[in-house]
Amino acid sequence: MTWTITPEPYDSPVAAALWRAYYTEVSDRYYLLHEGRRTDPAELEREIAAHPGAELTPPGGQLLVGRYDGEPAGSAGVRLLGGGVAELTRVFLYEEMRGKGGAAPLVRAAEDAARELGATRMILDTRGDLIEARTLYARLGYEETEPHNDDKYAEHWFRKQLN
């Protein structure tokens, strides 16, 4: 079984399915932790539609899809923010694909894509309850930093030099 990682149009059926799965999981995890409920279906649909990922297209970004043995298994996105800085976003693996060695190659492929787009530094934010993500970023050389945005869901901010 092998991993392949390739660029994917943000609006492809594969990318749309991954975005829906990603958003559903992180939203449900948030609401279950803070309010003891899952995401309201109408809210979920509004948020998915409001953030389709158009910024994840060249020349200002890139969406990557990881496939495990040819089947879509996960994604990672990168978008340029200016001044040589790119943001890592939408890092996700379907639950059944976790533990199969795909997360690190997805992030590394996103770093390569950011370099190709001209970035020299990658930043990201995540939540405190996403322990797996924070562990992955630290293992891959990301340093926790002061906040670089005021996103109401961001609780941890990271950066990494790409040179």
Side-chain angles (χ1 to χ4, degrees), residues 108-157:
R108 287 187 189 109
E111 292 170 357
D112 290 343
R115 283 183 198 96
E116 290 174 17
L117 294 169
T120 57
R121 183 169 38 121
M122 186 84 86
I123 63 171
L124 64 96
D125 63 66
T126 192
R127 295 194 326 242
D129 63 307
L130 300 176
I131 295 164
E132 312 93 321
R134 291 183 9 241
T135 300
L136 171 69
Y137 302 136
R139 182 167 48 92
L140 295 177
Y142 285 81
E143 299 174 336
E144 194 154 358
T145 66
E146 294 298 314
H148 58 255
N149 64 27
D150 59 358
D151 184 314
K152 77 178 207 173
Y153 299 109
E155 297 170 324
H156 296 269
W157 295 263

Side-chain angles (χ1 to χ4, degrees), residues 4-25:
T4 56
I5 300 168
T6 56
E8 181 83 19
Y10 79 93
D11 57 354
S12 76
V14 166
L18 283 159
W19 173 227
R20 176 172 292 283
Y22 168 89
Y23 197 87
T24 300
E25 181 175 329

Side-chain angles (χ1 to χ4, degrees), residues 47 71 78 93 107:
E47 290 302 312
E71 293 298 316
V78 64
L93 287 172
V107 171

Side-chain angles (χ1 to χ4, degrees), residues 62-127:
Q62 184 71 69
L63 179 68
L64 302 163
V65 167
R67 288 175 170 79
Y68 185 71
D69 209 28
E71 293 298 316
S75 65
V78 64
R79 68 183 181 121
L80 293 178
L81 300 177
V85 178
E87 180 182 32
L88 181 63
T89 186
R90 295 193 188 192
V91 177
F92 175 75
L93 287 172
Y94 286 125
E95 188 173 357
E96 63 274 14
M97 293 292 114
R98 295 174 191 162
K100 297 179 185 276
L106 265 169
V107 171
R108 287 187 189 109
E111 292 170 357
D112 290 343
R115 283 183 198 96
E116 290 174 17
L117 294 169
T120 57
R121 183 169 38 121
M122 186 84 86
I123 63 171
L124 64 96
D125 63 66
T126 192
R127 295 194 326 242

